[in-house]
Amino acid sequence: MKYVSTRGSAPVLGFSDVVLAGLATDGGLYVPETWPSMPAVSSGSYAELAANIFSPFIEGDIDNATMLRLAQDAYATFRHPDVVPIVDLEPGHSIMELFHGPTLAFKDVALQLLGRLFDHILTARNEKVTIVGATSGDTGSAAIDGVKNCKNIDIVILYPAGRVSDVQRRQMTTVDSPNVRTVAIEGTFDDCQDLVKAMFNHAEFREAQNLSAVNSINWARVMAQVVYYFEATRRINGPIDITVPTGNFGNVLSGWIAKNMGAPIRHLVVASNQNDILTRFFESHSMTVTGVHPTLSPSMDIQVSSNFERLLFEMNNRDGAMTAQQLQRFRDRGALAVEQDQFDQWIAPTFRAARASDHDTLATIRSVYESTGMLIDPHTAVGVKAAREFAEDGVPMLTLATAHPAKFPDAVERATGERPQLPAHLADLFDRPERTTQLPNDLATVEAFVANR
Ligand SMILES: *Cc1c(COP(=O)(O)O)cnc(C)c1O
């Protein structure tokens, strides 16, 4: 399998090169040259299903037995025997719990695999990399946990000092591995992101440190997420509708890929919080940028959904030059419109979109608690609110639960009066020693820290 860039002018690469590269050299995102179709699979473990689905994507690069071993290792870290169990919520509506991984958010599904993939590829090439990343919460801890035992990877994660929750910070700073460093930057999340961008743009530094990233645009993350959509359709008789709490459009893009490969999925409901650029796009056929508002579901507080570019490329009949031009205009003018025929062909048959305010989020957490006794996290609640809007008799609805309620205990307690408890493996999180370094928002200081770590 070969991969092409959505902007059409980067080199065509194989799977391993795409995983290590992340972003293409023309600024685009890598997609497979063709979408394989997937025969229905009904038996086997979650890891076996994963290896089956990955097989056409890794062809010519990584053998299936190795991939199966990596998937088995990755999903052995999940605390539930089903890996991603499904629980009933109300008649016709169930929830898939994607949060049984080490750091309690769905990002573990992709990052536990990605860390192992990186290490495997780097070992074969006898290379080492330094991953640097900025986090506003969930991504940092999931990335750290995914690579903490990797021999060929060092990781440095920047977070805004005082601006991540205690649980999120401690999940990063209490990891005791020699290859892990966390840095509290005296600034905002945007400052952290700017520092990371500046390090990548500093060619000499990037090469000397062999910098790498594990962004949500990394193809292997999108690929890993395709698996649970197939898992859903082998456990619930389809066709089914699936609701996805969405930020960067990575998770729901994986759902679109699963459908495209033949999974019996009817609608994908894109659920946004107040940062609703996608919902507005689905309503108006035009994507327009506004500011970012902090909400109770912070992992969905985005300005632009970066993974949407992969769908846009398909909507443009895989014309990379056209996609690049459109995105340039989007950056210049803050707006991007698609034609009616593109919308009718690609969006209308598959996607539905809804938004939830913080008020809706709290009301949904409360209503689920009152009717079932179940505590759900604010991101999942945004999904449940949207799913209830679009549920139809006779078509099973599944909402993806993207975080454990104990990851966002304040919102859950505010809605229900009940404070969710951390699972056993994290019960002593607040007793563990923290290791972190506070640094000013200054590129030279941060680069010196990374170089001398
Ligand atoms: C990252 C995240 C999301 C958003 O996922 P995208 O792939 O960016 O759409 C939703 N919920 C939680 C809990 C997350 O951590």
Side-chain angles (χ1 to χ4, degrees):
M1 177 67 84
K2 293 291 177 199
Y3 290 81
V4 296
S5 163
T6 50
R7 299 194 191 174
S9 56
V12 171
L13 299 179
F15 177 77
S16 298
D17 286 326
V18 163
V19 172
L20 294 187
L23 204 65
T25 50
D26 58 4
L29 313 189
Y30 275 108
V31 288
E33 224 163 30
T34 55
W35 293 112
S37 61
M38 177 74 193
V41 228
S42 52
S43 62
S45 65
Y46 185 84
E48 284 165 340
L49 175 67
N52 257 319
I53 291 169
F54 300 155
S55 144
F57 293 116
I58 61 173
E59 207 191 321
D61 238 85
I62 294 182
D63 66 272
N64 289 337
T66 301
M67 196 68 202
L68 176 61
R69 180 175 54 74
L70 296 176
Q72 281 168 334
D73 280 0
Y75 299 119
T77 66
F78 279 56
R79 299 174 317 281
H80 196 286
D82 291 345
V83 182
V84 289
I86 293 176
V87 299
D88 287 335
L89 180 69
E90 52 209 4
H93 184 186
S94 46
I95 281 184
M96 179 176 249
E97 295 181 344
L98 299 177
F99 54 69
H100 292 278
T103 73
L104 313 182
F106 93 98
K107 292 188 171 67
D108 288 328
V109 178
L111 285 164
Q112 286 297 319
L113 185 77
L114 186 62
R116 287 164 174 84
L117 258 174
F118 252 78
D119 218 30
H120 171 76
I121 297 168
L122 292 168
T123 303
R125 297 181 176 192
N126 201 13
E127 281 176 34
K128 288 189 192 306
V129 297
T130 305
I131 289 174
V132 296
T135 189
S136 58
D138 288 347
T139 308
S141 56
I144 287 172
D145 205 279
V147 305
K148 68 184 183 191
N149 298 319
C150 295
K151 295 185 298 292
N152 302 303
I153 304 172
D154 282 349
I155 188 165
V156 182
I157 293 288
L158 314 186
Y159 64 90
R163 292 174 198 247
V164 300
S165 79
D166 290 348
V167 173
Q168 288 176 326
R169 187 191 69 249
R170 286 183 159 272
Q171 281 186 313
M172 296 189 276
T173 58
T174 60
V175 174
D176 185 16
S177 291
N179 64 335
V180 172
R181 296 284 183 280
T182 60
V183 181
I185 295 292
E186 293 157 5
T188 63
F189 171 56
D190 286 336
D191 294 331
C192 297
Q193 267 189 319
D194 289 345
L195 285 166
V196 170
K197 274 188 208 146
M199 284 189 267
F200 274 94
N201 288 336
H202 183 176
E204 211 175 300
F205 181 77
R206 184 180 69 210
E207 272 158 42
Q209 298 301 319
N210 213 3
L211 290 193
S212 190
V214 293
N215 302 335
S216 80
I217 53 90
N218 192 295
W219 164 251
R221 284 182 65 175
V222 173
M223 180 188 82
Q225 293 163 184
V226 171
V227 178
Y228 48 75
Y229 288 88
F230 274 96
E231 175 74 354
T233 60
R234 72 173 181 168
R235 300 238 295 273
I236 305 173
N237 271 333
I240 65 174
D241 291 343
I242 303 183
T243 300
V244 191
T246 305
N248 273 320
F249 202 74
N251 195 353
V252 66
L253 177 81
S254 300
W256 178 83
I257 293 169
K259 178 175 161 112
N260 213 25
M261 292 172 73
I265 296 167
R266 189 184 66 155
H267 293 157
L268 290 163
V269 182
V270 175
S272 303
N273 62 23
Q274 194 194 334
N275 299 288
D276 60 352
I277 184 168
L278 288 166
T279 316
R280 288 183 286 113
F281 169 73
F282 290 126
E283 287 166 354
S284 69
H285 307 187
S286 162
M287 200 168 274
T288 51
V289 176
T290 59
V292 184
H293 306 278
T295 71
L296 294 175
S297 41
S299 303
M300 291 156 56
D301 291 349
I302 48 86
Q303 187 162 35
V304 174
S305 302
S306 47
N307 264 299
F308 186 78
E309 180 167 340
R310 288 187 162 111
L311 184 62
L312 189 66
F313 179 63
E314 303 294 337
M315 293 171 76
N316 290 333
N317 290 317
R318 302 199 138 216
D319 183 335
M322 180 174 167
T323 307
Q325 265 176 18
Q326 223 174 359
L327 290 162
Q328 184 59 48
R329 280 201 304 274
F330 183 50
R331 271 190 304 280
D332 294 344
R333 299 183 199 159
L336 180 161
V338 301
E339 302 295 335
Q340 185 66 39
D341 62 322
Q342 291 178 299
F343 197 87
D344 292 345
Q345 183 184 353
W346 296 97
I347 303 292
T350 302
F351 294 99
R352 298 291 176 269
R355 64 173 70 72
S357 64
D358 276 355
H359 178 267
D360 296 329
T361 302
L362 291 170
T364 305
I365 297 174
R366 190 175 313 120
S367 101
V368 166
Y369 181 62
E370 281 168 1
S371 59
T372 67
M374 202 193 306
L375 295 175
I376 59 170
D377 104 286
H379 303 78
T380 306
V382 170
V384 167
K385 152 95 173 27
R388 285 173 168 172
E389 243 169 82
F390 285 102
E392 265 175 48
D393 278 351
V395 184
M397 173 63 87
L398 181 76
T399 297
L400 300 182
T402 52
H404 190 288
K407 198 149 189 182
F408 300 93
D410 296 336
V412 176
E413 187 174 11
R414 205 169 129 197
T416 64
E418 179 104 21
R419 196 160 181 88
Q421 297 300 308
L422 285 166
H425 77 286
L426 288 171
D428 64 345
L429 185 66
F430 282 80
D431 305 323
R432 297 181 197 169
E434 290 193 75
R435 307 188 317 157
T436 188
T437 306
Q438 183 154 333
L439 294 178
N441 175 20
D442 174 67
L443 181 62
T445 311
V446 175
E447 284 189 347
F449 176 84
V450 173
N452 300 323
R453 68 190 179 276

